Amino acid sequence: MPGTFSDHPDFPAALKLAGELADVAREISLRHFRTPLDVESKDDGSPVTIADRGIETRMREMIRAAFPAHAIRGEEFAAEGSGEFAWVLDPIDGTKSFVTGFPLFGSLIALTHGGRPVLGVIEAPVLAERWVGCAGRTTIFNGRAVKARACHSVEQAVIYTTTPETFSEQELPRFQALAARAALRRYGGDCYLYGMLAGGHCDLVVEVQLKPHDFMAVVPVVQGAGGWISDWQGNPLTFASDGRVVAAGTEALWQQALGELRRV
């Protein structure tokens, strides 16, 4: 595929579909938010609800109707199809927040080409906020272009992670060493953190134990805002990544973060 994805003939239809998928996620999640819900535990101990499954079911139906040749990979159901294009879905990223009435959960929608994320949407239903990133284009937040903050030093940075509880005994000291250097440390937010970084409201996001449905959509959003995102070794995020993610608003800040996170 020459050029960027925005040059591809399917780009307009894919972009339109991504917005429609986000609309569906917003409608269904708000219908169930802060209502009595049966919460089940999956094999890995993470929670799941009727809203998670309902959103992904509807999304899959819409993708199959619009792009029957595209593969689909989602959090709640088995992968289907194969080919150069694959949609990667997380119907509710931050289900623990969702089931406890905390509004900073979101839905993640990505389109990958040859395993590389080329289109990503972060949808925050309760706040009616949406970030759309596409390879080769500037990230759009609620209809306007956004840019990451020009922070070039860890000592001036605002750093976020969802929770330090997810870090292993080997990972936690590396995160703590980085966070101790930062100007401000904050916790909580899941996918919303990457939208904040893209909008210039924080400078570093460090996470572990993420799966492709957790990070594929945020890659174009961060990069389209001028940010940098990779695994802890500085490698591009792929379906084979180990789940350790670092995002930064500038290359200089990203390099400094990697210097701490790579330490043994």
Side-chain angles (χ1 to χ4, degrees):
M1 184 175 63
T4 63
F5 178 58
S6 58
D7 300 320
H8 193 278
D10 284 343
F11 169 72
L15 183 63
K16 180 175 182 290
L17 176 61
E20 292 169 347
L21 297 175
D23 289 342
V24 164
R26 180 179 295 188
E27 189 274 324
I28 296 176
S29 62
L30 290 180
R31 187 192 314 159
H32 294 284
F33 184 58
R34 292 180 178 171
T35 67
L37 287 171
D38 291 328
V39 182
E40 302 175 28
S41 291
K42 294 187 285 189
D43 292 341
D44 63 0
S46 61
V48 63
T49 71
I50 187 174
D52 300 77
R53 291 171 174 155
I55 291 169
E56 186 169 324
T57 296
R58 182 64 185 126
M59 283 181 169
R60 285 173 177 258
E61 292 171 350
M62 294 168 67
I63 293 167
R64 285 193 295 264
F67 292 105
H70 288 192
I72 306 174
R73 296 182 62 161
E75 180 178 14
E76 306 304 339
F77 302 107
E80 57 182 278
S82 61
E84 60 178 343
F85 285 104
W87 293 84
V88 185
L89 311 172
D90 190 348
I92 295 183
D93 182 76
T95 301
K96 292 178 182 178
S97 293
F98 176 75
V99 300
T100 56
F102 189 67
L104 297 189
F105 65 90
S107 297
L108 295 172
I109 300 153
L111 178 61
T112 65
H113 177 255
R116 181 176 67 92
V118 293
L119 175 63
V121 177
I122 302 173
E123 160 66 27
V126 177
L127 302 179
E129 295 182 345
R130 182 178 302 173
W131 292 263
V132 180
C134 178
R137 289 195 170 194
T138 301
T139 294
I140 301 299
F141 168 69
N142 282 9
R144 62 179 178 85
V146 290
K147 187 171 179 59
R149 187 159 55 193
C151 176
H152 300 285
S153 168
V154 172
E155 286 70 24
Q156 298 176 333
V158 176
I159 185 170
Y160 265 92
T161 191
T162 297
T163 172
E165 294 179 358
T166 57
F167 293 93
S168 70
E169 291 183 1
Q170 294 75 35
E171 294 163 342
L172 185 58
R174 286 184 265 177
F175 169 75
Q176 289 175 328
L178 176 62
R181 293 173 54 193
L184 185 63
R185 292 151 295 281
R186 302 296 299 162
Y187 302 92
D190 296 288
C191 65
Y192 192 75
L193 302 180
Y194 301 95
M196 290 179 60
L197 188 147
H201 304 295
C202 69
D203 307 295
L204 277 168
V205 178
V206 180
E207 299 277 47
V208 295
Q209 296 188 20
L210 300 189
K211 298 177 181 178
H213 57 254
D214 296 311
F215 60 70
M216 283 297 190
V218 309
V219 172
V221 171
V222 169
Q223 292 177 336
W228 291 68
I229 185 168
S230 68
D231 68 13
W232 283 18
Q233 298 303 312
N235 301 311
L237 296 172
T238 71
F239 284 107
S241 293
D242 65 6
R244 299 172 178 176
V245 173
V246 54
T250 63
E251 182 181 10
L253 190 58
W254 173 71
Q255 291 284 5
Q256 292 170 54
L258 289 175
E260 290 286 1
L261 297 173
R262 283 171 170 159
R263 295 179 187 273
V264 177

